[in-house]
Amino acid sequence: MIDVLLGLQWGDEGKGKIVDHLAEKYDIIARFQGGPNAGHTLYVNGTKVVLHTIPSGVFHEHCLNLIGNGVVIDPVTLQNEIQKIKPLCPGLTDRLFLSHRAHLILPTHRALDAASETAKGADKIGSTLKGIGPAYMDKTGRNGLRVGDILSKNFKEKYDRLTRKHLEILGQYEQVVDWKQWEQPFFEAAEQIAQLQIVNAEYWLDNHMKAGKRVLAEGAQGSMLDVDFGTYPFVTSSNTIAAGVCNGLGVAPSKIGEVYGITKAYCTRVGGGPFPTELLDETGEALRAAGNEFGATTGRPRRCGWIDLVALRYAVMLSGVTKLIITKADVMDNFNPIKAATAYIADGRETKEFPYDVCDVTIEPVYESFAGWDQPIGKCTQYADLPQVFRDYCRFVEDYLETKIAYISNGTGRDQLLSIP
Ligand code: GDP
Ligand code: IMO
Ligand code: MG
């Protein structure tokens, strides 16, 4: 069986920290989608580490880590990441595996991402500019290069052919970044990547599962950034929901076990696009300050707002979440009251369904208010230690989402995680 952990909002829910914790119980951690647009933060012996492509189980010596076919890999970012964490991570490359089938991000993909965003002007997605969209476009357009191609004799030829195609498209844009400077580092990093353990990952995983190994699939981004079900077109280019695990790793739906869904106790979004519960006032700013809400990949300030139970219920439904995890509960310590959106007024009609159109229709959230707890909870070590008002709030969230909370995270530290009996 393979369990899944994914974000239920617009990313940055604290997936890195939770995977790092859960990794104790698993033998293999596998990334199934996304790429270096992800920034997963965790703390290793007090040192902050941000992972972009490498799975967050890597700091556990018993864990094998797989980068699956659904991931898009920038060899330079991956190589830099390996060099950076090597000193903290004994046996890193012995425990890191790559699928032959994972697609590569080329320097010209990054140039295309930048050119496309600039051309969109005020309507830009707010992409991380890592080349994600163009790389996935080449995958579905059947032009892409894969990790396995690095091993082929004519890799350079294939690269040149695709780059020529990109240059034709780039010729249509007014502003094009100097991507040539990235070419040499790309080939150097690709050579290094060729030395890593590149496997037929679907068989590799199946054999491990048959041998009884426990596998956790680690999601990137969040459900509301899913290319099909998110706030399109302000989304990423992969399927971030549980369905993405099957085609991003080559495992059958019947093999999926628990689905852990993570939400912050409030809500954030980085980049453009609709965000119904966004707070553009001092409460939003206070959330940003209290939660230190600045992007782990780009450093951009994250937009902040109240928790959105309408969007969360949608995300729970889409992935069949069996266990909820609430992170950053401590950030709410000094907010009173605390609000939660329980319905939307969309086009004048009240609804609890996430609407198809959230871009051109005004959405007004309907809020329920809860008493704050006005005390720090970061030192609580058991659920019973938490203030009663906080536990009442948790009960409300569980009832609304019809899903039990398994963990509450009350700080950045590895040990600041309460499991709920
Ligand atoms: P990810 O992309 O889902 O892995 O999340 P990020 O790492 O981008 O952002 C989550 C941020 O919140 C990181 O800086 C974490 O260290 C931090 N964090 C995670 N859990 C908690 C928590 O319970 N409380 C607080 N205060 N910070 C947390
Ligand atoms: P983690 O895994 C938050 C957002 C970008 C942009 C949109 C498209 O750390 O949760 P892309 O680079 O994919 O073309 O950007 O998606 N985005 C994220 N936001 N966390 C992430 O990853 C994100 N990855 C992409 O800000 O709005
Ligand atoms: Mg992140």
Side-chain angles (χ1 to χ4, degrees):
M1 293 300 271
I2 175 165
D3 293 342
V4 180
L5 178 138
L6 44 80
L8 298 176
Q9 299 170 304
W10 281 276
D12 304 327
E13 296 89 349
K15 298 176 289 293
K17 170 184 160 158
I18 305 298
V19 171
D20 177 45
H21 175 86
L22 292 179
E24 274 171 25
K25 295 199 294 186
Y26 290 92
D27 304 298
I28 298 170
I29 308 291
R31 277 278 306 267
F32 60 93
Q33 47 68 232
N37 48 352
H40 295 181
T41 312
L42 34 99
Y43 284 84
V44 188
N45 305 325
T47 304
K48 179 177 167 174
V49 180
V50 180
L51 296 172
H52 301 288
T53 314
I54 296 176
S56 302
V58 77
F59 295 103
H60 293 263
E61 284 186 47
H62 72 276
C63 261
L64 303 183
N65 296 272
L66 173 68
I67 301 175
N69 61 280
V71 176
V72 284
I73 297 176
D74 181 334
V76 178
T77 320
L78 176 56
Q79 196 47 31
N80 287 344
E81 210 170 316
I82 289 172
Q83 294 310 326
K84 206 163 172 184
I85 66 170
K86 230 177 184 172
L88 293 167
C89 204
L92 165 64
T93 47
D94 297 335
R95 296 187 287 108
L96 184 63
F97 297 82
L98 268 65
S99 166
H100 278 114
R101 299 178 189 275
H103 277 247
L104 296 174
I105 301 176
L106 271 50
T108 38
H109 283 137
R110 289 172 59 196
L112 283 165
D113 213 0
S116 151
E117 278 285 83
T118 307
K120 283 192 158 114
D123 297 329
K124 69 176 182 184
I125 310 291
S127 162
T128 58
L129 302 180
K130 303 293 179 191
I132 305 293
Y136 277 116
M137 279 166 71
D138 272 337
K139 173 178 177 171
T140 49
R142 295 157 297 176
N143 294 314
L145 295 189
R146 301 185 287 179
V147 165
D149 287 313
I150 302 178
L151 307 175
S152 91
K153 281 194 299 290
N154 51 357
F155 177 52
K156 179 73 169 60
E157 219 173 279
K158 291 180 179 181
Y159 170 93
D160 286 338
R161 199 180 316 139
L162 183 52
T163 302
R164 274 199 300 277
K165 271 198 174 120
H166 291 163
L167 291 183
E168 279 173 29
I169 306 169
L170 283 168
Q172 296 160 22
Y173 288 102
E174 277 175 26
Q175 283 181 41
V176 176
V177 295
D178 173 20
W179 58 272
K180 268 277 178 197
Q181 59 176 320
W182 299 326
E183 202 163 50
Q184 197 192 335
F186 172 86
F187 280 105
E188 284 167 9
E191 243 172 68
Q192 298 296 318
I193 301 294
Q195 309 303 315
L196 296 173
Q197 304 183 76
I198 299 171
V199 294
N200 279 335
E202 52 280 19
Y203 285 106
W204 182 90
L205 210 47
D206 193 52
N207 287 336
H208 277 297
M209 288 199 286
K210 280 185 178 139
K213 299 293 180 196
R214 294 155 302 175
V215 186
L216 179 67
E218 173 181 0
Q221 290 78 54
S223 308
M224 301 314 290
L225 288 169
D226 182 277
V227 66
D228 281 281
F229 300 103
T231 48
Y232 194 89
F234 297 93
V235 292
T236 189
S237 303
S238 62
N239 284 115
T240 58
I241 60 170
V245 174
C246 296
N247 54 19
L249 288 172
V251 295
S254 56
K255 296 276 165 47
I256 308 260
E258 298 288 356
V259 180
Y260 292 95
I262 310 192
T263 170
K264 291 183 195 190
Y266 49 104
C267 193
T268 64
R269 166 160 214 175
V270 58
F275 180 0
T277 60
E278 182 171 19
L279 293 167
L280 296 164
D281 56 9
E282 62 276 14
T283 308
E285 272 170 40
L287 276 172
R288 185 176 309 117
N292 191 23
E293 292 297 352
F294 296 89
T297 297
T298 57
R300 292 178 290 178
R302 295 178 183 145
R303 299 155 65 191
C304 297
W306 297 121
I307 196 167
D308 182 343
L309 295 176
V310 178
L312 275 176
R313 205 170 65 131
Y314 183 52
V316 164
M317 174 186 84
L318 291 170
S319 287
V321 171
T322 57
K323 289 179 189 288
L324 273 178
I325 301 176
I326 298 194
T327 57
K328 304 194 99 162
D330 54 302
V331 173
M332 307 308 281
D333 283 349
N334 299 312
F335 290 84
N336 198 352
I338 289 168
K339 294 189 184 179
T342 52
Y344 292 160
I345 312 274
D347 240 358
R349 282 186 40 244
E350 185 163 324
T351 178
K352 286 187 174 176
E353 284 190 10
F354 197 81
Y356 159 72
D357 190 354
V358 278
C359 291
D360 296 327
V361 169
T362 321
I363 307 280
E364 203 188 308
V366 177
Y367 288 110
E368 184 117 358
S369 284
F370 298 84
W373 41 93
D374 291 327
Q375 65 184 92
I377 59 167
K379 291 212 166 67
C380 296
T381 54
Q382 294 179 53
Y383 185 60
D385 296 344
L386 293 165
Q388 185 60 45
V389 280
F390 178 73
R391 286 187 283 156
D392 291 344
Y393 167 78
C394 289
R395 182 59 47 82
F396 181 86
V397 170
E398 281 185 332
D399 287 348
Y400 189 100
L401 299 177
E402 297 177 275
T403 314
K404 286 282 175 206
I405 301 172
Y407 292 98
I408 290 172
S409 172
N410 59 337
T412 53
R414 250 182 174 177
D415 53 344
Q416 286 174 298
L417 191 66
L418 317 180
S419 76
I420 314 254

